[in-house]
Amino acid sequence: MFDSLSDRLSGIFDKLTRRGALTDSDVSEAMREVRRALIEADVALDVVKSFTDRVKEKAVGQEVVRSVTPGQMVVKIVHDELVKTLGAEADPIDLQSVPPVPIMMVGLQGSGKTTTTAKIAKRLTERDKRKVLMASLDTRRPAAQEQLEVLGKQTGVDTLPIIKGQTPQQIATRAIQAAKLGGYDVVILDTAGRLHIDDELMRETEQVRDIAQPHETLLVADSLTGQDAVNLARTFDQRIGITGIVLTRIDGDGRGGAALSMRAVTGKPIKLLGTGEKLDGLEDFHPERVAGRILGMGDVVSLVERAAENIDQEKAQAMAKKLAKGQFDLQDLSDQFRQMQKIGGMSGVLGMLPGIGKMKKQLDAANLDDKLLKRQTAIISSMTPQERRNPKVLQASRKRRIAAGSGTTVQEVNQLLKMHRQMADMMKVVGKGKGGLAKLFGIGGKMPEPTPEMIEAAKAGKMQLPPGMKLPGVLGGGGGLPGLPGMPGGGRFGGLPGLPGKKK
């Protein structure tokens, strides 16, 4: 969602950081560009003015202009002010109250209230170990109550039984009573929405609020609506009194202005972000991490947290033991692809790494998207267990059968096998003796000599050697991108193992 804004700001700050010294006029010109970028990103005008004034006040000073790295100082000031605008600290859902804790979901129709209700319930059940009851108060939208019931079955969360003909007020009363009698920790009320704000909607929501006395009232807003989401939040806060905001569809191509404006305009924190349609597509809103993403600094902390939540620890330990022995077959490669998809796919992972934004053109040219992972997984799934364990048995007839079974071509099968062969060679280096992994990445000690097989493959152009490893009698070795060593690139996106480009 922040891609366009991030690109604009990166361009502005690149000009600043390349200069050895900055004058007041340089800073003023940069702030004009920042103001224009924020306005184009659909940030509220008063928020833009306040933000740029604060940055300029701190940036135009002796300590910045005379500092050793003035450009970096300006970037730091912008980062700090962005964090302040977004809310300074993370503000998660507050459950510190007498159970059952009532949470009321409000918002317009189509913003994703029902799905977000199920996401929050799943999160509270699995991560926080709370007993949750969901209740749909939407008696107007066809099958709204049935939708929540289905989502409840998918997530394993209890839902209030549907009684036809009851009003939202009666359902709210019944839900609170059922939660008390059932010993639930949390009860989530999914209220009705409208296509636009009207008095009838507000009156109904006010009555439900008075009955349930919610501890948290969360406004679910679609981030793609831009500035209208800010006006929506202001109206609901004045009439209902919201305690926080959930922004949905932040994985879309919206311009990000709503997120930057929301806290400053309403004074209410953004608590959660909806990152996709799947029921685990929900993450806490961390202002500092979001500011880092906007400025192209990445968000490695969120990436690690996502990996910790989704990666099977037992499988990871088993894989580590195999790698320590230098073993890496096609089934292992398939498992790695699946793990990658669980934590957001290729684009999701790369988008959280620092500095990747500046390599966007190279990434687009390499066609590194989730379809690539799915095609590679389909090829491996079309193989027999014996073929996955021992790819050497794959002759021409078998490759044709695998290509037909996976809906790909023999050329793509060959590319996958080449990539696996290169990675397997690297794993053998890792498994050789003490400190193999450190030597592979060039950390401490002398880089090991290449094996005869690696020398032959490198001379034939079938693989690139890791950074620092040299062919006998040749100055310098092969290698990919700095930071992604040891994974031969095959001349495409150096550092990623021989991934095929776009189909012609």
Side-chain angles (χ1 to χ4, degrees):
M1 182 174 74
F2 299 110
D3 283 353
S4 58
L5 177 59
S6 180
D7 291 345
R8 286 292 305 275
L9 293 179
S10 294
I12 295 165
F13 295 136
D14 280 348
K15 292 177 186 176
L16 285 180
T17 50
R18 280 199 295 264
R19 298 187 183 184
L22 292 180
T23 63
D24 289 355
S25 61
D26 291 334
V27 176
S28 297
E29 184 184 346
M31 285 306 103
R32 278 197 298 274
E33 291 292 324
V34 169
R35 178 183 295 220
R36 193 175 294 125
L38 291 172
I39 290 172
E40 286 178 8
D42 216 12
V43 181
L45 190 60
D46 51 346
V47 176
V48 173
K49 189 174 185 308
S50 170
F51 175 80
T52 51
D53 286 349
R54 291 200 310 271
V55 172
K56 192 173 179 181
E57 184 182 341
K58 291 183 179 180
V60 179
Q62 298 298 318
E63 67 277 2
V64 170
V65 175
R66 292 184 179 179
S67 70
V68 179
T69 55
Q72 294 292 347
M73 287 290 287
V74 174
V75 174
K76 183 183 183 305
I77 291 169
V78 170
H79 177 267
D80 292 345
E81 290 302 323
L82 262 179
V83 172
K84 193 180 292 183
T85 303
L86 289 166
E89 292 182 0
D91 194 348
I93 293 177
D94 180 19
L95 298 178
Q96 301 302 313
S97 183
V98 179
V101 180
I103 298 175
M104 187 166 76
M105 312 294 289
V106 299
L108 295 184
Q109 192 172 316
S111 59
K113 280 194 311 301
T114 305
T115 306
T116 303
T117 298
K119 286 181 179 181
I120 293 173
K122 182 177 187 290
R123 186 186 181 89
L124 293 176
T125 303
E126 294 178 357
R127 195 183 73 171
D128 299 335
K129 309 301 179 189
R130 304 297 176 109
K131 189 179 179 184
V132 182
L133 175 68
M134 298 189 293
S136 174
L137 279 61
D138 192 347
T139 57
R140 294 175 177 270
R141 182 166 64 88
Q145 293 177 305
E146 287 78 3
Q147 180 190 356
L148 190 66
E149 188 176 40
V150 170
L151 290 171
K153 289 176 182 175
Q154 290 177 358
T155 56
V157 177
D158 293 338
T159 56
L160 190 72
I162 300 169
I163 297 178
K164 298 293 183 183
Q166 282 199 328
T167 64
Q169 294 86 342
Q170 290 171 330
I171 297 172
T173 303
R174 186 161 60 92
I176 298 297
Q177 290 174 346
K180 288 178 180 176
L181 293 172
Y184 289 91
D185 300 311
V186 180
V187 55
I188 307 178
L189 305 175
D190 178 26
T191 63
R194 301 285 191 282
L195 294 176
H196 58 86
I197 295 172
D198 57 32
D199 284 337
E200 186 182 357
L201 165 67
M202 287 301 181
R203 277 199 304 273
E204 182 182 292
T205 310
E206 285 171 352
Q207 290 168 359
V208 170
R209 176 200 63 194
D210 295 340
I211 292 168
Q213 295 294 312
H215 185 65
E216 285 270 26
T217 303
L218 301 178
L219 171 68
V220 181
D222 186 347
S223 60
L224 299 185
T225 54
Q227 280 305 298
D228 200 40
V230 180
N231 300 328
L232 174 75
R234 189 188 286 121
T235 306
F236 266 97
D237 188 40
Q238 290 169 353
R239 292 287 301 268
I240 309 298
I242 62 175
T243 58
I245 299 159
V246 181
L247 274 183
T248 60
R249 293 208 276 186
I250 71 147
D251 55 329
D253 57 358
R255 290 173 288 182
L260 286 171
S261 307
M262 202 75 83
R263 175 68 183 247
V265 171
T266 64
K268 304 298 179 182
I270 300 172
K271 292 186 178 257
L272 297 165
L273 297 174
T275 57
E277 294 181 5
K278 293 183 179 178
L279 292 171
D280 56 358
L282 192 72
E283 62 181 49
D284 290 322
F285 181 81
H286 293 275
E288 193 163 344
R289 299 182 194 177
V290 172
R293 287 189 214 177
I294 292 172
L295 295 179
M297 298 173 183
D299 186 3
V300 178
V301 178
S302 291
L303 180 60
V304 172
E305 285 180 355
R306 192 182 294 177
E309 287 176 8
N310 290 284
I311 290 177
D312 188 325
Q313 294 299 320
E314 290 183 6
K315 279 189 177 180
Q317 288 173 1
M319 173 66 76
K321 288 179 182 176
K322 286 190 74 175
L323 293 182
K325 297 175 184 176
Q327 299 172 355
F328 187 75
D329 59 26
L330 284 164
Q331 185 58 54
D332 298 328
L333 182 60
S334 178
D335 290 341
Q336 294 305 301
F337 287 154
R338 289 194 174 92
Q339 296 283 25
M340 177 80 84
Q341 286 174 315
K342 278 185 181 179
I343 60 174
M346 187 79 77
S347 55
V349 171
L350 292 176
M352 287 187 167
L353 296 178
I356 289 292
K358 295 178 182 178
M359 299 163 56
K360 209 168 183 184
K361 289 182 181 176
Q362 293 97 309
L363 290 173
D364 292 341
N367 193 29
L368 298 179
D369 59 11
D370 295 338
K371 290 180 182 175
L372 172 67
L373 292 180
K374 288 176 182 176
R375 282 204 306 274
Q376 306 280 38
T377 306
I379 292 171
I380 297 173
S381 297
S382 297
M383 298 178 186
T384 64
Q386 182 202 4
E387 290 167 345
R388 292 178 207 171
R389 286 192 300 270
N390 183 19
K392 290 180 181 178
V393 303
L394 290 172
Q395 303 303 325
S397 59
R398 290 181 183 244
K399 290 177 183 177
R400 285 196 295 272
R401 189 204 80 233
I402 292 165
S406 58
T408 57
T409 64
V410 174
Q411 182 187 5
E412 287 178 291
V413 175
N414 286 332
Q415 286 173 334
L416 174 68
L417 293 174
K418 179 183 176 182
M419 177 180 73
H420 168 260
R421 191 164 55 247
Q422 292 171 342
M423 293 180 73
D425 286 339
M426 294 302 105
M427 297 312 160
K428 286 175 185 174
V429 176
V430 173
K432 278 191 177 181
K434 190 176 179 182
L437 184 62
K439 290 176 184 176
L440 173 66
F441 284 84
I443 304 169
K446 185 182 176 184
M447 193 59 150
E449 294 297 322
T451 63
E453 295 85 1
M454 293 172 72
I455 294 171
E456 187 179 340
K459 285 181 176 178
K462 294 179 180 178
M463 72 170 285
Q464 289 180 327
L465 296 178
M469 185 179 283
K470 300 175 184 178
L471 286 171
V474 179
L475 291 175
L481 281 177
L484 290 170
M487 299 181 80
R492 294 187 181 280
F493 180 53
L496 284 176
L499 296 172
K502 292 182 179 178
K503 285 187 178 180
K504 294 183 180 177

